[in-house]
Amino acid sequence: MASLKDMRVRIASTKATQKITKAMQMVAASKLRRAQSAAEAARPYAEKMDAVIASIAGASTGGGGPQLLVGNGKDQTHLLLVCTGERGLSGAFNSSIVRLARERALALLAQGKTVKIFCVGRKGYEQLRRQFDKHIIENIELRSVRQLGFVNAEDIAKKVIARFEAGEFDVATLFYSRFKSVISQIPTAQQIIPLEVAKQAETKGPTPVYDYEPAEDEILDGLLPRNLAVQIFRALLENNASFYGAQMSAMDNATRNAGDMIRKQTLVYNRTRQAQITKELIEIISGAEAV
C-alpha cells in the first residue's frame, strides 16, 4: 500500500490536472461561440453557391461541361481530402473523421481502385500514416494560422485542382466534421470532384428561361474553382467549431472525473491515516499496560 506521503502527492497532482482541464474547458467555451457563428454564417453562402451552379448546369445545352463538374470519365483513382484538427484533447473528434476516411479508403482498395490521401491537419496525418503512409501524397498544417481565412482554403483548392488537371486522380472526396451541437459533431464525406449537383425542385407554372452572357460553360469555368474553395473553407470552419465543441465536452468530462478521483483518493487517505493513528494508540496503550 502506498504511504501517506505518496497519497498526498497523488491528490495534489490530480487537483493540478483538474485545474488544467477546467481552464481548457473555459478557453474552448470562449472560442466556441465565435467559431460556431463563423460556421453557421458560411453555410447559406455555400448552399446558395451549390444552387447557382445547379441552375446554370441545368440550363447548359452543351453535351459535356467543365471537368470539375462532369469529371474526366474515369473512376479509377480517388483522392481523399481529409481535414482534421491540429491539436488533440478533443475526444473522438479527430478519430471519427479518420475512421470515416479509413473505411472509404479500405472499401476503394478492396474494389481495386487507386487511393491517394491529401491531409489537412496534423492529427489526421499522424493517424493515417500508420496504415496508409504510401498513399499520402501531401500534408498541410494550419497550426500557425491564428484565424482561418478564405485564403487558406483557396490555397488548398488550387493544389487540388492542379493535381486534377495533371491527371493525378479522377474523383475527389472531402472529409470533415459537421458541427451540430457541443455534444454532437457529424463526420461527413462530400464528393467535390466531379461536383455532385443537387436536383432543382420542380416549380409549378411556366419555367423561366434565362439567356447567359457569356455562355453557361464559360461561367462554370470561373465559378467551379471558387466553389471548390468555398466548400473547403466551409469544411475548415465546420471543423473549427466541431473541435472546440468536442474539446469543451471532453474537458468537462475530464474535470468531473478528476473530481471523483480526488474524492476517492481523499477517502482512502483519511482511512489509512486513521488506521495508522489507531494502531499507534493501541501500541502506546499496550506498552503502558505492560509496564
Side-chain angles (χ1 to χ4, degrees), residues 5 10 12-13 24 49 55 65 93 108 111 116 125 136 149 173 195 206 208 216 232-233 235 238 246 248 265 277 285:
K5 181 179 179 181
R10 188 177 302 171
S13 176
M24 292 183 67
M49 178 75 80
S55 177
F93 165 70
L108 291 171
Q111 297 172 13
K116 297 182 179 181
Y125 172 72
I136 298 177
T173 305
L195 182 65
E216 292 89 339
I232 294 175
F233 184 47
E238 293 280 354
M248 178 180 170
Q265 291 174 346
I277 293 174
I285 296 172

XYZ file of all heavy atoms in Angstrom, residues 5 10 12-13 24 49 55 65 93 108 111 116 125 136 149 173 195 206 208 216 232-233 235 238 246 248 265 277 285:
227
model
N 2.482 9.946 2.333
C 3.112 10.979 1.520
C 2.801 10.763 0.040
O 2.493 11.727 -0.686
C 4.620 10.969 1.760
C 5.353 12.036 0.957
C 6.848 12.012 1.248
C 7.559 13.089 0.412
N 9.026 13.083 0.648
N -0.238 12.283 -4.839
C -1.182 11.877 -5.890
C -2.412 12.784 -5.889
O -2.906 13.184 -6.952
C -1.595 10.422 -5.663
C -2.428 9.830 -6.785
C -2.718 8.373 -6.504
N -1.482 7.604 -6.353
C -1.458 6.339 -5.930
N -2.597 5.731 -5.597
N -0.315 5.701 -5.839
N -2.556 15.905 -4.787
C -2.148 17.224 -5.270
C -1.982 17.218 -6.787
O -2.356 18.183 -7.473
C -0.835 17.637 -4.598
N -1.436 16.129 -7.332
C -1.254 16.024 -8.777
C -2.597 15.994 -9.502
O -2.777 16.647 -10.542
C -0.453 14.765 -9.100
O -0.332 14.583 -10.498
N -8.877 24.638 -19.702
C -9.042 24.315 -21.114
C -10.513 24.300 -21.516
O -10.879 24.700 -22.621
C -8.406 22.954 -21.424
C -6.895 22.934 -21.311
S -6.180 21.352 -21.776
C -6.545 21.314 -23.520
N -24.310 28.805 -53.385
C -23.362 28.550 -54.469
C -23.708 27.244 -55.171
O -23.693 27.163 -56.406
C -21.948 28.510 -53.916
C -20.872 28.213 -54.950
S -20.495 29.610 -56.029
C -19.421 30.552 -54.947
N -28.313 25.418 -61.096
C -29.192 26.104 -62.038
C -28.496 26.326 -63.380
O -29.072 26.078 -64.440
C -29.636 27.441 -61.452
O -30.427 28.157 -62.374
N -19.286 19.616 -70.465
C -19.183 20.618 -69.434
C -17.786 20.610 -68.870
O -16.954 19.758 -69.219
N -13.154 13.598 -31.797
C -13.307 14.490 -32.952
C -12.426 14.068 -34.118
O -12.904 13.832 -35.233
C -12.990 15.927 -32.522
C -12.758 16.864 -33.678
C -13.801 17.236 -34.503
C -11.495 17.359 -33.949
C -13.591 18.092 -35.575
C -11.271 18.211 -35.011
C -12.320 18.583 -35.823
N -12.437 1.253 -51.191
C -11.957 1.519 -52.554
C -10.828 0.565 -52.932
O -10.777 0.060 -54.061
C -11.492 2.971 -52.663
C -12.593 4.037 -52.591
C -11.981 5.430 -52.487
C -13.503 3.955 -53.815
N -12.024 -2.723 -53.959
C -12.606 -2.721 -55.297
C -11.546 -2.624 -56.395
O -11.889 -2.580 -57.578
C -13.581 -1.554 -55.439
C -14.770 -1.617 -54.502
C -15.612 -0.355 -54.535
O -15.470 0.484 -55.427
N -16.502 -0.212 -53.563
N -5.370 7.908 -53.111
C -4.380 8.903 -52.712
C -5.004 9.775 -51.621
O -6.188 10.107 -51.699
C -3.952 9.763 -53.903
C -3.252 8.977 -55.010
C -2.813 9.883 -56.145
C -2.091 9.096 -57.237
N -1.633 9.957 -58.352
N -3.010 13.351 -40.233
C -1.807 12.801 -40.862
C -1.127 11.783 -39.954
O -0.703 10.713 -40.403
C -0.847 13.944 -41.196
C 0.516 13.492 -41.664
C 0.692 12.918 -42.920
C 1.623 13.630 -40.837
C 1.932 12.492 -43.348
C 2.874 13.210 -41.253
C 3.017 12.639 -42.513
O 4.259 12.215 -42.922
N -0.314 8.603 -48.843
C -0.378 10.041 -48.546
C 0.542 10.802 -49.505
O 1.740 10.538 -49.567
C 0.019 10.319 -47.084
C -0.966 9.631 -46.131
C 0.051 11.817 -46.817
C -0.624 9.781 -44.668
N -8.953 31.861 -42.742
C -9.477 32.777 -43.750
C -9.718 32.048 -45.055
O -9.261 30.920 -45.266
N -12.915 13.382 -52.798
C -13.926 13.401 -51.734
C -13.362 14.144 -50.535
O -12.229 13.900 -50.121
C -14.329 11.976 -51.322
O -14.754 11.249 -52.480
C -15.469 12.010 -50.316
N -18.301 17.445 -59.221
C -19.237 18.009 -58.250
C -20.581 17.317 -58.353
O -21.128 17.130 -59.436
C -19.392 19.512 -58.507
C -20.298 20.264 -57.543
C -19.709 20.250 -56.144
C -20.500 21.702 -58.009
N -45.071 28.015 -65.502
C -44.047 28.038 -66.559
C -42.651 28.220 -65.985
O -42.446 28.949 -65.005
C -44.455 29.242 -67.405
C -45.252 30.108 -66.481
C -45.973 29.165 -65.565
N -39.040 29.722 -66.057
C -38.390 30.876 -66.702
C -37.172 30.450 -67.514
O -36.463 29.507 -67.157
C -37.993 31.758 -65.517
C -37.892 30.827 -64.360
C -38.922 29.770 -64.594
N -22.945 29.396 -70.650
C -23.001 28.684 -69.378
C -21.671 28.022 -69.029
O -21.215 28.096 -67.877
C -24.093 27.611 -69.425
C -25.516 28.157 -69.491
C -25.973 28.381 -70.920
O -25.096 28.491 -71.801
O -27.182 28.457 -71.161
N -14.314 23.866 -49.336
C -13.204 23.543 -48.430
C -13.185 24.514 -47.255
O -12.955 24.112 -46.099
C -11.870 23.574 -49.198
C -11.831 22.446 -50.238
C -10.689 23.437 -48.240
C -10.601 22.470 -51.124
N -13.438 25.800 -47.531
C -13.469 26.794 -46.457
C -14.594 26.476 -45.466
O -14.414 26.584 -44.249
C -13.669 28.186 -47.056
C -13.626 29.306 -46.051
C -12.613 29.363 -45.093
C -14.586 30.297 -46.056
C -12.563 30.393 -44.169
C -14.545 31.327 -45.128
C -13.530 31.380 -44.185
N -15.763 23.515 -44.855
C -15.328 22.341 -44.096
C -14.362 22.738 -42.986
O -14.444 22.223 -41.859
C -14.681 21.322 -45.029
N -16.409 24.412 -40.237
C -17.184 23.400 -39.513
C -16.270 22.602 -38.584
O -16.631 22.301 -37.437
C -17.864 22.452 -40.510
C -18.946 23.099 -41.368
C -20.275 23.238 -40.652
O -20.406 22.728 -39.523
O -21.185 23.869 -41.212
N -16.132 19.675 -29.227
C -15.670 18.375 -28.719
C -14.689 18.564 -27.575
O -14.718 17.809 -26.586
C -15.024 17.586 -29.852
N -14.509 21.126 -25.486
C -15.248 21.608 -24.318
C -15.941 20.453 -23.606
O -15.876 20.337 -22.369
C -16.286 22.651 -24.768
C -17.142 23.199 -23.659
S -18.328 24.413 -24.283
C -19.349 24.648 -22.847
N -9.605 9.329 -3.636
C -8.255 9.320 -3.074
C -8.234 9.926 -1.681
O -7.519 9.439 -0.785
C -7.308 10.086 -3.999
C -7.040 9.387 -5.326
C -6.214 10.248 -6.271
O -6.056 11.446 -6.063
N -5.689 9.625 -7.312
N -3.160 6.006 12.967
C -3.284 6.649 14.287
C -3.821 5.665 15.307
O -3.324 5.583 16.461
C -4.215 7.880 14.183
C -3.554 8.968 13.317
C -4.540 8.429 15.574
C -4.448 10.157 13.040
N -0.895 2.230 24.301
C -1.668 1.698 25.440
C -1.133 0.335 25.864
O -0.992 0.036 27.074
C -3.163 1.629 25.069
C -3.726 3.017 24.826
C -3.958 0.880 26.123
C -5.118 3.048 24.278
